[in-house]
Amino acid sequence: MRPVGGTVETDIDPRSLIGRKAFDRDGNKLGTVDEVYLDDATGVPEWAAVRTGLFSRDAFVPLAPSTLAVDGLRVPFERSLIKDAPDFGVGRHLSPDQELQLYHHYGLALPAPNPPERPASRSDRDSERDFGRLAGQED
């Protein structure tokens, strides 16, 4: 695991985020990281579901602009924006459409698609349906 602090990157075990406290851009506690979602194409941690005290629901927050600090995950958005994020439930894959909704909600640029290095095999096409899988979930 890399040193604590800085942007959440691929070299951190996404499971180590689960159970950490999450804070908004002003340092207000949002809740606790419940689950981490990986991009299927890259395996990069992309979204976290944070269990909020607001009606005990999970709010999806983007990991790319967030930072990992000693006290937890720092999400650089206002509490109200996070509270109003689309609610897709947890424990399931995020569909490409759901992920697009989250990118638009947070005003984030969409990640550049990875160019295929070889013709897609059947297993590659099957994994495309699993966009937004949970960290630690078996394939």
Side-chain angles (χ1 to χ4, degrees):
M1 182 184 339
R2 68 181 193 53
V4 174
T7 303
V8 176
E9 295 180 8
T10 59
D11 59 348
I12 188 169
D13 180 352
R15 290 171 293 200
S16 70
L17 292 171
I18 296 171
R20 287 189 183 243
K21 301 297 179 204
F23 302 90
D24 70 7
R25 75 176 189 185
D26 297 322
N28 299 310
K29 183 180 169 193
L30 295 168
T32 305
V33 176
D34 226 8
E35 294 181 332
V36 175
Y37 289 76
L38 309 177
D39 180 284
D40 281 336
T42 64
V44 174
E46 198 165 15
W47 300 97
V50 175
R51 173 68 60 177
T52 67
L54 309 167
F55 308 112
S56 294
R57 78 171 190 97
D58 282 85
F60 285 89
V61 298
L63 290 174
S66 298
T67 56
L68 188 58
V70 174
D71 59 349
L73 184 68
R74 297 284 178 167
V75 183
F77 296 100
E78 291 181 1
R79 175 188 283 274
S80 61
L81 183 67
I82 295 165
K83 181 185 106 188
D84 292 338
D87 184 5
F88 302 121
V90 293
R92 292 172 281 206
H93 289 85
L94 287 176
S95 72
D97 182 55
Q98 289 171 327
E99 193 159 359
L100 283 173
Q101 288 179 51
L102 288 169
Y103 273 101
H104 290 297
H105 177 77
Y106 286 105
L108 298 171
L110 296 174
N114 292 334
E117 296 177 12
R118 59 181 165 61
S121 67
R122 177 163 189 225
S123 63
D124 289 336
R125 287 189 301 274
D126 289 346
S127 71
E128 288 174 6
R129 290 194 306 252
D130 293 338
F131 196 79
R133 66 189 164 90
L134 287 169
Q137 189 173 49
E138 296 296 321
D139 291 330

